[in-house]
């Protein structure tokens, strides 16, 4: 049966263009167009939005984003073998899909996109966390994007939405939830992908808040949280010793106990401590 965009089913696209998945490129393709449409819908109303997609591969999610009404899609794909398949998608949606054959870590998306921007991607596992951290730590807030709708390994998704006191709570949770509303919106079994990965996957939706939940200097907070969770089993007073001889007093001044462990400290506590540390 042909798809609503008149393009062939993804299995045919893959066979026609010889797109055998490469592990080195983190390639686990979604071939069910109902599923890619569902993920595109998780991103909210795309009409009137430019969308950045990293790693379109054979274009399943790209087709979902265009069918859901994205004004324009910028799809950044490192593997040149995917370009002919993506050119067919671009031809079916004239003027609405721009494909960049590039490494997503090297490009400046703002040179290609107009606000409002949403980011939607089934990320290659090897650069997923790095891209997320970059998107969460821009030089100014609010960032260039309104929302991020991203597929990760489930374990990474759980770290993004984790609450204080849980094993998964760490740097990613603090960075994500300090300035975003973060939700795990969908779980997928390995069989949803071709080839199936070893682990389950999940989609996380992050909506940028207009301002951080609690005031804090971003760079100090980032450094503090990285240090605190680097030695998550240690008490704050020893994990943060590198921040100065009076760190114990500063921890107390922030309303925390020097004997607390990082995983017990809520985001508000880290922000209070970052303010104390920044006082010089
Ligand atoms: N979006 C497709 C889908 O859902 O079926 C493919 C997702 S697959 C998990 C990840 C995609 O990212 C692959 O197409 C891969 O070639 C591409 N990719 C890997 N590393 C990349 C990078 N550094 N920059 C851009 N794309 C990359």
């Amino acid at each position: 049966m042909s798809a609503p965009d008149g393009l062939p089913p993804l299995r045919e696209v893959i066979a026609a263009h010889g797109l055998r998945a490469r592990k080195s490129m983190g390639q686990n393709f979604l071939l069910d167009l109902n599923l890619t449409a569902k993920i595109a819908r998780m991103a909210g109303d795309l009409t009137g939005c430019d969308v950045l997609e990293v790693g379109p591969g054979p274009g399943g999610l790209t087709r979902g984003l265009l069918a859901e009404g994205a004004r324009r899609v910028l799809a950044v794909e490192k593997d040149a073998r995917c370009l002919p398949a993506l050119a067919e998608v671009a031809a079916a949606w004239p003027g609405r899909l721009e494909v960049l054959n590039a490494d997503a870590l090297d490009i400046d998306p703002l040179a290609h996109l107009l606000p409002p921007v949403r980011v939607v991607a089934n990320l290659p596992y090897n650069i997923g966390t790095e891209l997320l951290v970059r998107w969460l730590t821009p030089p100014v807030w609010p960032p260039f994007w309104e929302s991020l709708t991203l597929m990760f390994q489930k374990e990474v998704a759980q770290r993004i939405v984790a609450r204080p006191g849980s094993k998964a709570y760490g740097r990613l949770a603090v960075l994500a939830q300090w300035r975003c509303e973060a939700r795990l919106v969908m779980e997928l079994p390995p069989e949803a992908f071709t080839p199936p990965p070893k682990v389950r996957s999940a989609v996380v939706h992050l909506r940028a808040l207009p301002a951080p939940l609690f005031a804090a200097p971003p760079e100090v907070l980032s450094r503090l949280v990285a240090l605190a969770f680097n030695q998550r089993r240690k008490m704050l007073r020893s994990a943060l010793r590198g921040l100065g001889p009076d760190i114990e007093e500063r921890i107390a001044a922030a309303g925390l106990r020097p004997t607390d462990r990082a995983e017990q400290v809520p985001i508000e506590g880290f922000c209070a401590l970052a303010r104390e540390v920044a006082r010089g």
Side-chain angles (χ1 to χ4, degrees), residues 24-31 36 53-62 76-79 82 102-105 121-127 131 193:
S24 61
M25 286 271 188
Q27 292 178 339
N28 299 98
F29 299 134
L30 288 168
L31 301 187
T36 58
E53 185 193 1
V54 170
L61 182 55
T62 321
V76 185
E77 175 55 63
K78 189 171 170 185
D79 186 353
C82 299
D103 187 322
L105 294 171
N122 174 12
L123 290 173
Y125 73 94
N126 47 345
I127 59 163
L131 278 172
F193 301 85

PDB file of all heavy atoms in Angstrom, residues 24-31 36 53-62 76-79 82 102-105 121-127 131 193, ligand 1:
ATOM      1  N   SER A  24      28.567   1.650  12.825  1.00  0.00           N
ATOM      2  CA  SER A  24      29.481   2.770  13.122  1.00  0.00           C
ATOM      3  C   SER A  24      28.762   4.113  13.030  1.00  0.00           C
ATOM      4  O   SER A  24      29.204   5.105  13.597  1.00  0.00           O
ATOM      5  CB  SER A  24      30.657   2.759  12.152  1.00  0.00           C
ATOM      6  OG  SER A  24      30.151   2.921  10.831  1.00  0.00           O
ATOM      7  N   MET A  25      27.649   4.153  12.297  1.00  0.00           N
ATOM      8  CA  MET A  25      26.885   5.399  12.136  1.00  0.00           C
ATOM      9  C   MET A  25      25.696   5.425  13.100  1.00  0.00           C
ATOM     10  O   MET A  25      24.828   6.287  12.989  1.00  0.00           O
ATOM     11  CB  MET A  25      26.344   5.494  10.710  1.00  0.00           C
ATOM     12  CG  MET A  25      27.396   5.818   9.691  1.00  0.00           C
ATOM     13  SD  MET A  25      27.538   7.608   9.522  1.00  0.00           S
ATOM     14  CE  MET A  25      28.628   7.712   8.135  1.00  0.00           C
ATOM     15  N   GLY A  26      25.596   4.430  13.972  1.00  0.00           N
ATOM     16  CA  GLY A  26      24.476   4.385  14.910  1.00  0.00           C
ATOM     17  C   GLY A  26      23.149   4.201  14.184  1.00  0.00           C
ATOM     18  O   GLY A  26      22.139   4.777  14.574  1.00  0.00           O
ATOM     19  N   GLN A  27      23.158   3.391  13.128  1.00  0.00           N
ATOM     20  CA  GLN A  27      21.953   3.282  12.296  1.00  0.00           C
ATOM     21  C   GLN A  27      21.008   2.160  12.746  1.00  0.00           C
ATOM     22  O   GLN A  27      21.312   0.975  12.616  1.00  0.00           O
ATOM     23  CB  GLN A  27      22.350   3.098  10.827  1.00  0.00           C
ATOM     24  CG  GLN A  27      23.009   4.359  10.279  1.00  0.00           C
ATOM     25  CD  GLN A  27      23.466   4.244   8.845  1.00  0.00           C
ATOM     26  OE1 GLN A  27      23.656   3.143   8.326  1.00  0.00           O
ATOM     27  NE2 GLN A  27      23.661   5.379   8.186  1.00  0.00           N
ATOM     28  N   ASN A  28      19.892   2.562  13.312  1.00  0.00           N
ATOM     29  CA  ASN A  28      18.782   1.657  13.621  1.00  0.00           C
ATOM     30  C   ASN A  28      17.565   2.381  13.078  1.00  0.00           C
ATOM     31  O   ASN A  28      17.131   3.371  13.639  1.00  0.00           O
ATOM     32  CB  ASN A  28      18.648   1.414  15.125  1.00  0.00           C
ATOM     33  CG  ASN A  28      19.895   0.767  15.721  1.00  0.00           C
ATOM     34  OD1 ASN A  28      20.738   1.452  16.291  1.00  0.00           O
ATOM     35  ND2 ASN A  28      20.021  -0.523  15.569  1.00  0.00           N
ATOM     36  N   PHE A  29      17.066   1.885  11.948  1.00  0.00           N
ATOM     37  CA  PHE A  29      16.030   2.633  11.236  1.00  0.00           C
ATOM     38  C   PHE A  29      14.625   2.273  11.716  1.00  0.00           C
ATOM     39  O   PHE A  29      14.339   1.119  12.072  1.00  0.00           O
ATOM     40  CB  PHE A  29      16.116   2.359   9.729  1.00  0.00           C
ATOM     41  CG  PHE A  29      17.437   2.773   9.121  1.00  0.00           C
ATOM     42  CD1 PHE A  29      18.107   1.918   8.241  1.00  0.00           C
ATOM     43  CD2 PHE A  29      17.998   4.006   9.412  1.00  0.00           C
ATOM     44  CE1 PHE A  29      19.316   2.297   7.670  1.00  0.00           C
ATOM     45  CE2 PHE A  29      19.218   4.393   8.836  1.00  0.00           C
ATOM     46  CZ  PHE A  29      19.871   3.533   7.970  1.00  0.00           C
ATOM     47  N   LEU A  30      13.745   3.275  11.687  1.00  0.00           N
ATOM     48  CA  LEU A  30      12.319   3.056  11.944  1.00  0.00           C
ATOM     49  C   LEU A  30      11.653   2.923  10.581  1.00  0.00           C
ATOM     50  O   LEU A  30      11.720   3.849   9.780  1.00  0.00           O
ATOM     51  CB  LEU A  30      11.723   4.264  12.676  1.00  0.00           C
ATOM     52  CG  LEU A  30      12.117   4.457  14.133  1.00  0.00           C
ATOM     53  CD1 LEU A  30      11.701   5.830  14.623  1.00  0.00           C
ATOM     54  CD2 LEU A  30      11.479   3.358  14.992  1.00  0.00           C
ATOM     55  N   LEU A  31      11.016   1.781  10.341  1.00  0.00           N
ATOM     56  CA  LEU A  31      10.444   1.570   9.012  1.00  0.00           C
ATOM     57  C   LEU A  31       8.918   1.658   9.000  1.00  0.00           C
ATOM     58  O   LEU A  31       8.297   1.602   7.939  1.00  0.00           O
ATOM     59  CB  LEU A  31      10.891   0.197   8.464  1.00  0.00           C
ATOM     60  CG  LEU A  31      12.410   0.022   8.356  1.00  0.00           C
ATOM     61  CD1 LEU A  31      12.766  -1.279   7.648  1.00  0.00           C
ATOM     62  CD2 LEU A  31      13.059   1.192   7.633  1.00  0.00           C
ATOM     63  N   THR A  36       6.475   6.584  12.894  1.00  0.00           N
ATOM     64  CA  THR A  36       7.208   7.855  12.710  1.00  0.00           C
ATOM     65  C   THR A  36       6.211   9.029  12.738  1.00  0.00           C
ATOM     66  O   THR A  36       6.533  10.098  13.262  1.00  0.00           O
ATOM     67  CB  THR A  36       8.043   7.872  11.417  1.00  0.00           C
ATOM     68  OG1 THR A  36       7.194   7.648  10.300  1.00  0.00           O
ATOM     69  CG2 THR A  36       9.140   6.831  11.456  1.00  0.00           C
ATOM     70  N   GLU A  53      16.068  18.181  12.152  1.00  0.00           N
ATOM     71  CA  GLU A  53      16.153  16.738  12.374  1.00  0.00           C
ATOM     72  C   GLU A  53      17.591  16.294  12.169  1.00  0.00           C
ATOM     73  O   GLU A  53      18.197  16.578  11.135  1.00  0.00           O
ATOM     74  CB  GLU A  53      15.236  15.965  11.400  1.00  0.00           C
ATOM     75  CG  GLU A  53      15.248  14.471  11.739  1.00  0.00           C
ATOM     76  CD  GLU A  53      14.646  13.545  10.682  1.00  0.00           C
ATOM     77  OE1 GLU A  53      14.200  14.019   9.615  1.00  0.00           O
ATOM     78  OE2 GLU A  53      14.662  12.321  10.931  1.00  0.00           O
ATOM     79  N   VAL A  54      18.134  15.606  13.168  1.00  0.00           N
ATOM     80  CA  VAL A  54      19.489  15.066  13.047  1.00  0.00           C
ATOM     81  C   VAL A  54      19.375  13.596  12.667  1.00  0.00           C
ATOM     82  O   VAL A  54      18.658  12.841  13.316  1.00  0.00           O
ATOM     83  CB  VAL A  54      20.257  15.214  14.378  1.00  0.00           C
ATOM     84  CG1 VAL A  54      21.572  14.450  14.330  1.00  0.00           C
ATOM     85  CG2 VAL A  54      20.509  16.679  14.667  1.00  0.00           C
ATOM     86  N   GLY A  55      20.067  13.201  11.601  1.00  0.00           N
ATOM     87  CA  GLY A  55      20.105  11.798  11.208  1.00  0.00           C
ATOM     88  C   GLY A  55      18.803  11.291  10.617  1.00  0.00           C
ATOM     89  O   GLY A  55      18.165  10.394  11.175  1.00  0.00           O
ATOM     90  N   PRO A  56      18.380  11.837   9.477  1.00  0.00           N
ATOM     91  CA  PRO A  56      17.122  11.388   8.863  1.00  0.00           C
ATOM     92  C   PRO A  56      17.201   9.975   8.280  1.00  0.00           C
ATOM     93  O   PRO A  56      16.171   9.319   8.109  1.00  0.00           O
ATOM     94  CB  PRO A  56      16.878  12.412   7.744  1.00  0.00           C
ATOM     95  CG  PRO A  56      18.235  12.961   7.422  1.00  0.00           C
ATOM     96  CD  PRO A  56      18.985  12.961   8.730  1.00  0.00           C
ATOM     97  N   GLY A  57      18.428   9.485   7.968  1.00  0.00           N
ATOM     98  CA  GLY A  57      18.555   8.141   7.394  1.00  0.00           C
ATOM     99  C   GLY A  57      17.733   8.031   6.126  1.00  0.00           C
ATOM    100  O   GLY A  57      17.760   8.921   5.267  1.00  0.00           O
ATOM    101  N   PRO A  58      16.926   6.972   6.010  1.00  0.00           N
ATOM    102  CA  PRO A  58      16.106   6.825   4.797  1.00  0.00           C
ATOM    103  C   PRO A  58      14.890   7.752   4.771  1.00  0.00           C
ATOM    104  O   PRO A  58      14.161   7.788   3.779  1.00  0.00           O
ATOM    105  CB  PRO A  58      15.673   5.356   4.833  1.00  0.00           C
ATOM    106  CG  PRO A  58      15.802   4.943   6.253  1.00  0.00           C
ATOM    107  CD  PRO A  58      16.848   5.818   6.910  1.00  0.00           C
ATOM    108  N   GLY A  59      14.632   8.475   5.863  1.00  0.00           N
ATOM    109  CA  GLY A  59      13.613   9.532   5.803  1.00  0.00           C
ATOM    110  C   GLY A  59      12.256   9.211   6.411  1.00  0.00           C
ATOM    111  O   GLY A  59      11.300   9.954   6.206  1.00  0.00           O
ATOM    112  N   GLY A  60      12.163   8.156   7.220  1.00  0.00           N
ATOM    113  CA  GLY A  60      10.857   7.804   7.802  1.00  0.00           C
ATOM    114  C   GLY A  60      10.297   8.912   8.692  1.00  0.00           C
ATOM    115  O   GLY A  60       9.154   9.358   8.524  1.00  0.00           O
ATOM    116  N   LEU A  61      11.120   9.373   9.630  1.00  0.00           N
ATOM    117  CA  LEU A  61      10.648  10.424  10.543  1.00  0.00           C
ATOM    118  C   LEU A  61      10.489  11.747   9.776  1.00  0.00           C
ATOM    119  O   LEU A  61       9.538  12.504  10.025  1.00  0.00           O
ATOM    120  CB  LEU A  61      11.643  10.569  11.708  1.00  0.00           C
ATOM    121  CG  LEU A  61      11.299  11.592  12.784  1.00  0.00           C
ATOM    122  CD1 LEU A  61       9.917  11.337  13.382  1.00  0.00           C
ATOM    123  CD2 LEU A  61      12.358  11.571  13.897  1.00  0.00           C
ATOM    124  N   THR A  62      11.381  11.987   8.842  1.00  0.00           N
ATOM    125  CA  THR A  62      11.296  13.205   8.010  1.00  0.00           C
ATOM    126  C   THR A  62       9.928  13.273   7.328  1.00  0.00           C
ATOM    127  O   THR A  62       9.269  14.331   7.309  1.00  0.00           O
ATOM    128  CB  THR A  62      12.394  13.153   6.921  1.00  0.00           C
ATOM    129  OG1 THR A  62      13.581  12.603   7.479  1.00  0.00           O
ATOM    130  CG2 THR A  62      12.659  14.531   6.341  1.00  0.00           C
ATOM    131  N   VAL A  76      19.893  16.910   8.848  1.00  0.00           N
ATOM    132  CA  VAL A  76      21.359  16.854   8.789  1.00  0.00           C
ATOM    133  C   VAL A  76      21.791  15.391   8.860  1.00  0.00           C
ATOM    134  O   VAL A  76      21.596  14.726   9.882  1.00  0.00           O
ATOM    135  CB  VAL A  76      21.975  17.625   9.974  1.00  0.00           C
ATOM    136  CG1 VAL A  76      23.485  17.667   9.843  1.00  0.00           C
ATOM    137  CG2 VAL A  76      21.398  19.034  10.040  1.00  0.00           C
ATOM    138  N   GLU A  77      22.359  14.895   7.776  1.00  0.00           N
ATOM    139  CA  GLU A  77      22.709  13.475   7.691  1.00  0.00           C
ATOM    140  C   GLU A  77      24.175  13.325   7.292  1.00  0.00           C
ATOM    141  O   GLU A  77      24.621  13.873   6.286  1.00  0.00           O
ATOM    142  CB  GLU A  77      21.788  12.782   6.669  1.00  0.00           C
ATOM    143  CG  GLU A  77      22.115  11.329   6.378  1.00  0.00           C
ATOM    144  CD  GLU A  77      22.156  10.439   7.619  1.00  0.00           C
ATOM    145  OE1 GLU A  77      21.123  10.280   8.295  1.00  0.00           O
ATOM    146  OE2 GLU A  77      23.257   9.905   7.919  1.00  0.00           O
ATOM    147  N   LYS A  78      24.896  12.533   8.090  1.00  0.00           N
ATOM    148  CA  LYS A  78      26.334  12.356   7.842  1.00  0.00           C
ATOM    149  C   LYS A  78      26.587  11.331   6.725  1.00  0.00           C
ATOM    150  O   LYS A  78      27.579  11.425   6.005  1.00  0.00           O
ATOM    151  CB  LYS A  78      26.980  11.871   9.149  1.00  0.00           C
ATOM    152  CG  LYS A  78      28.470  11.855   9.129  1.00  0.00           C
ATOM    153  CD  LYS A  78      28.963  11.563  10.546  1.00  0.00           C
ATOM    154  CE  LYS A  78      30.446  11.288  10.583  1.00  0.00           C
ATOM    155  NZ  LYS A  78      30.874  10.890  11.917  1.00  0.00           N
ATOM    156  N   ASP A  79      25.712  10.358   6.597  1.00  0.00           N
ATOM    157  CA  ASP A  79      25.935   9.251   5.661  1.00  0.00           C
ATOM    158  C   ASP A  79      25.423   9.626   4.261  1.00  0.00           C
ATOM    159  O   ASP A  79      24.213   9.644   4.008  1.00  0.00           O
ATOM    160  CB  ASP A  79      25.206   8.008   6.182  1.00  0.00           C
ATOM    161  CG  ASP A  79      25.499   6.769   5.341  1.00  0.00           C
ATOM    162  OD1 ASP A  79      26.156   6.899   4.286  1.00  0.00           O
ATOM    163  OD2 ASP A  79      25.050   5.678   5.740  1.00  0.00           O
ATOM    164  N   CYS A  82      22.497   8.095   2.112  1.00  0.00           N
ATOM    165  CA  CYS A  82      21.060   8.359   2.315  1.00  0.00           C
ATOM    166  C   CYS A  82      20.553   9.485   1.412  1.00  0.00           C
ATOM    167  O   CYS A  82      19.338   9.690   1.309  1.00  0.00           O
ATOM    168  CB  CYS A  82      20.800   8.741   3.780  1.00  0.00           C
ATOM    169  SG  CYS A  82      21.243   7.456   4.949  1.00  0.00           S
ATOM    170  N   ALA A 102      26.231  16.485   6.421  1.00  0.00           N
ATOM    171  CA  ALA A 102      27.228  17.016   7.357  1.00  0.00           C
ATOM    172  C   ALA A 102      27.143  16.266   8.672  1.00  0.00           C
ATOM    173  O   ALA A 102      26.187  15.526   8.927  1.00  0.00           O
ATOM    174  CB  ALA A 102      26.947  18.499   7.610  1.00  0.00           C
ATOM    175  N   ASP A 103      28.163  16.496   9.487  1.00  0.00           N
ATOM    176  CA  ASP A 103      28.160  15.977  10.850  1.00  0.00           C
ATOM    177  C   ASP A 103      27.384  16.983  11.704  1.00  0.00           C
ATOM    178  O   ASP A 103      27.723  18.175  11.723  1.00  0.00           O
ATOM    179  CB  ASP A 103      29.615  15.858  11.331  1.00  0.00           C
ATOM    180  CG  ASP A 103      29.717  15.170  12.680  1.00  0.00           C
ATOM    181  OD1 ASP A 103      28.830  15.413  13.540  1.00  0.00           O
ATOM    182  OD2 ASP A 103      30.656  14.402  12.879  1.00  0.00           O
ATOM    183  N   ALA A 104      26.382  16.507  12.416  1.00  0.00           N
ATOM    184  CA  ALA A 104      25.528  17.412  13.199  1.00  0.00           C
ATOM    185  C   ALA A 104      26.325  18.166  14.262  1.00  0.00           C
ATOM    186  O   ALA A 104      25.897  19.221  14.714  1.00  0.00           O
ATOM    187  CB  ALA A 104      24.405  16.619  13.856  1.00  0.00           C
ATOM    188  N   LEU A 105      27.488  17.620  14.655  1.00  0.00           N
ATOM    189  CA  LEU A 105      28.291  18.295  15.676  1.00  0.00           C
ATOM    190  C   LEU A 105      29.014  19.512  15.090  1.00  0.00           C
ATOM    191  O   LEU A 105      29.503  20.356  15.824  1.00  0.00           O
ATOM    192  CB  LEU A 105      29.320  17.333  16.272  1.00  0.00           C
ATOM    193  CG  LEU A 105      28.739  16.171  17.083  1.00  0.00           C
ATOM    194  CD1 LEU A 105      29.830  15.167  17.434  1.00  0.00           C
ATOM    195  CD2 LEU A 105      28.055  16.672  18.354  1.00  0.00           C
ATOM    196  N   ALA A 121      14.241  14.165  16.566  1.00  0.00           N
ATOM    197  CA  ALA A 121      15.232  13.249  15.997  1.00  0.00           C
ATOM    198  C   ALA A 121      15.236  11.895  16.675  1.00  0.00           C
ATOM    199  O   ALA A 121      14.994  11.786  17.871  1.00  0.00           O
ATOM    200  CB  ALA A 121      16.629  13.866  16.114  1.00  0.00           C
ATOM    201  N   ASN A 122      15.512  10.894  15.853  1.00  0.00           N
ATOM    202  CA  ASN A 122      15.871   9.570  16.348  1.00  0.00           C
ATOM    203  C   ASN A 122      17.390   9.564  16.296  1.00  0.00           C
ATOM    204  O   ASN A 122      17.975   9.309  15.255  1.00  0.00           O
ATOM    205  CB  ASN A 122      15.247   8.509  15.425  1.00  0.00           C
ATOM    206  CG  ASN A 122      15.685   7.098  15.761  1.00  0.00           C
ATOM    207  OD1 ASN A 122      16.284   6.849  16.803  1.00  0.00           O
ATOM    208  ND2 ASN A 122      15.396   6.167  14.866  1.00  0.00           N
ATOM    209  N   LEU A 123      18.003   9.918  17.418  1.00  0.00           N
ATOM    210  CA  LEU A 123      19.431  10.262  17.403  1.00  0.00           C
ATOM    211  C   LEU A 123      20.329   9.039  17.279  1.00  0.00           C
ATOM    212  O   LEU A 123      20.037   7.988  17.848  1.00  0.00           O
ATOM    213  CB  LEU A 123      19.786  10.992  18.703  1.00  0.00           C
ATOM    214  CG  LEU A 123      19.217  12.396  18.847  1.00  0.00           C
ATOM    215  CD1 LEU A 123      19.499  12.936  20.252  1.00  0.00           C
ATOM    216  CD2 LEU A 123      19.807  13.337  17.805  1.00  0.00           C
ATOM    217  N   PRO A 124      21.463   9.206  16.571  1.00  0.00           N
ATOM    218  CA  PRO A 124      22.480   8.152  16.606  1.00  0.00           C
ATOM    219  C   PRO A 124      23.000   8.056  18.037  1.00  0.00           C
ATOM    220  O   PRO A 124      23.319   9.088  18.651  1.00  0.00           O
ATOM    221  CB  PRO A 124      23.564   8.671  15.650  1.00  0.00           C
ATOM    222  CG  PRO A 124      23.305  10.121  15.455  1.00  0.00           C
ATOM    223  CD  PRO A 124      21.862  10.379  15.781  1.00  0.00           C
ATOM    224  N   TYR A 125      23.057   6.823  18.591  1.00  0.00           N
ATOM    225  CA  TYR A 125      23.339   6.701  20.028  1.00  0.00           C
ATOM    226  C   TYR A 125      24.698   7.281  20.408  1.00  0.00           C
ATOM    227  O   TYR A 125      24.883   7.767  21.510  1.00  0.00           O
ATOM    228  CB  TYR A 125      23.231   5.223  20.463  1.00  0.00           C
ATOM    229  CG  TYR A 125      24.376   4.400  19.970  1.00  0.00           C
ATOM    230  CD1 TYR A 125      25.491   4.197  20.766  1.00  0.00           C
ATOM    231  CD2 TYR A 125      24.383   3.855  18.687  1.00  0.00           C
ATOM    232  CE1 TYR A 125      26.570   3.484  20.296  1.00  0.00           C
ATOM    233  CE2 TYR A 125      25.456   3.161  18.205  1.00  0.00           C
ATOM    234  CZ  TYR A 125      26.549   2.967  19.009  1.00  0.00           C
ATOM    235  OH  TYR A 125      27.631   2.278  18.541  1.00  0.00           O
ATOM    236  N   ASN A 126      25.647   7.291  19.447  1.00  0.00           N
ATOM    237  CA  ASN A 126      26.998   7.703  19.825  1.00  0.00           C
ATOM    238  C   ASN A 126      27.159   9.216  20.024  1.00  0.00           C
ATOM    239  O   ASN A 126      28.117   9.659  20.633  1.00  0.00           O
ATOM    240  CB  ASN A 126      28.037   7.172  18.822  1.00  0.00           C
ATOM    241  CG  ASN A 126      27.613   7.405  17.389  1.00  0.00           C
ATOM    242  OD1 ASN A 126      26.451   7.698  17.110  1.00  0.00           O
ATOM    243  ND2 ASN A 126      28.535   7.318  16.462  1.00  0.00           N
ATOM    244  N   ILE A 127      26.258  10.031  19.485  1.00  0.00           N
ATOM    245  CA  ILE A 127      26.398  11.475  19.716  1.00  0.00           C
ATOM    246  C   ILE A 127      25.165  12.078  20.403  1.00  0.00           C
ATOM    247  O   ILE A 127      25.085  13.285  20.586  1.00  0.00           O
ATOM    248  CB  ILE A 127      26.688  12.261  18.416  1.00  0.00           C
ATOM    249  CG1 ILE A 127      25.579  12.057  17.381  1.00  0.00           C
ATOM    250  CG2 ILE A 127      28.047  11.898  17.847  1.00  0.00           C
ATOM    251  CD1 ILE A 127      25.619  13.108  16.278  1.00  0.00           C
ATOM    252  N   LEU A 131      24.942  15.950  21.879  1.00  0.00           N
ATOM    253  CA  LEU A 131      24.058  16.947  21.255  1.00  0.00           C
ATOM    254  C   LEU A 131      23.075  17.508  22.280  1.00  0.00           C
ATOM    255  O   LEU A 131      22.845  18.710  22.338  1.00  0.00           O
ATOM    256  CB  LEU A 131      23.281  16.314  20.098  1.00  0.00           C
ATOM    257  CG  LEU A 131      24.030  16.209  18.771  1.00  0.00           C
ATOM    258  CD1 LEU A 131      23.208  15.398  17.780  1.00  0.00           C
ATOM    259  CD2 LEU A 131      24.339  17.588  18.195  1.00  0.00           C
ATOM    260  N   PHE A 193      12.828  -1.341  15.467  1.00  0.00           N
ATOM    261  CA  PHE A 193      13.910  -0.811  14.626  1.00  0.00           C
ATOM    262  C   PHE A 193      14.488  -1.901  13.726  1.00  0.00           C
ATOM    263  O   PHE A 193      14.436  -3.082  14.043  1.00  0.00           O
ATOM    264  CB  PHE A 193      15.047  -0.283  15.514  1.00  0.00           C
ATOM    265  CG  PHE A 193      14.621   0.807  16.467  1.00  0.00           C
ATOM    266  CD1 PHE A 193      14.057   0.490  17.698  1.00  0.00           C
ATOM    267  CD2 PHE A 193      14.783   2.136  16.137  1.00  0.00           C
ATOM    268  CE1 PHE A 193      13.668   1.479  18.583  1.00  0.00           C
ATOM    269  CE2 PHE A 193      14.391   3.135  17.013  1.00  0.00           C
ATOM    270  CZ  PHE A 193      13.830   2.812  18.234  1.00  0.00           C
TER     271      PHE A 193
HETATM  272  N1  LIG B   1      15.830   9.003  11.463  1.00  0.00           N
HETATM  273  C1  LIG B   1      16.065   7.670  10.924  1.00  0.00           C
HETATM  274  C2  LIG B   1      15.013   6.742  11.456  1.00  0.00           C
HETATM  275  O1  LIG B   1      14.375   7.091  12.458  1.00  0.00           O
HETATM  276  O2  LIG B   1      14.855   5.647  10.881  1.00  0.00           O
HETATM  277  C3  LIG B   1      17.476   7.156  11.247  1.00  0.00           C
HETATM  278  C4  LIG B   1      17.840   7.146  12.718  1.00  0.00           C
HETATM  279  S1  LIG B   1      19.375   6.329  13.057  1.00  0.00           S
HETATM  280  C5  LIG B   1      19.151   5.889  14.749  1.00  0.00           C
HETATM  281  C6  LIG B   1      20.565   7.651  13.215  1.00  0.00           C
HETATM  282  C7  LIG B   1      20.919   8.408  11.937  1.00  0.00           C
HETATM  283  O3  LIG B   1      21.899   9.423  12.239  1.00  0.00           O
HETATM  284  C8  LIG B   1      21.532   7.582  10.812  1.00  0.00           C
HETATM  285  O4  LIG B   1      20.890   7.894   9.603  1.00  0.00           O
HETATM  286  C9  LIG B   1      22.998   8.014  10.771  1.00  0.00           C
HETATM  287  O5  LIG B   1      23.588   7.903   9.492  1.00  0.00           O
HETATM  288  C10 LIG B   1      22.907   9.443  11.216  1.00  0.00           C
HETATM  289  N2  LIG B   1      24.131   9.980  11.845  1.00  0.00           N
HETATM  290  C11 LIG B   1      25.068   9.311  12.582  1.00  0.00           C
HETATM  291  N3  LIG B   1      26.006  10.151  13.042  1.00  0.00           N
HETATM  292  C12 LIG B   1      25.666  11.391  12.604  1.00  0.00           C
HETATM  293  C13 LIG B   1      26.236  12.685  12.755  1.00  0.00           C
HETATM  294  N4  LIG B   1      27.363  12.869  13.449  1.00  0.00           N
HETATM  295  N5  LIG B   1      25.619  13.733  12.161  1.00  0.00           N
HETATM  296  C14 LIG B   1      24.481  13.555  11.453  1.00  0.00           C
HETATM  297  N6  LIG B   1      23.883  12.350  11.269  1.00  0.00           N
HETATM  298  C15 LIG B   1      24.474  11.278  11.843  1.00  0.00           C
END
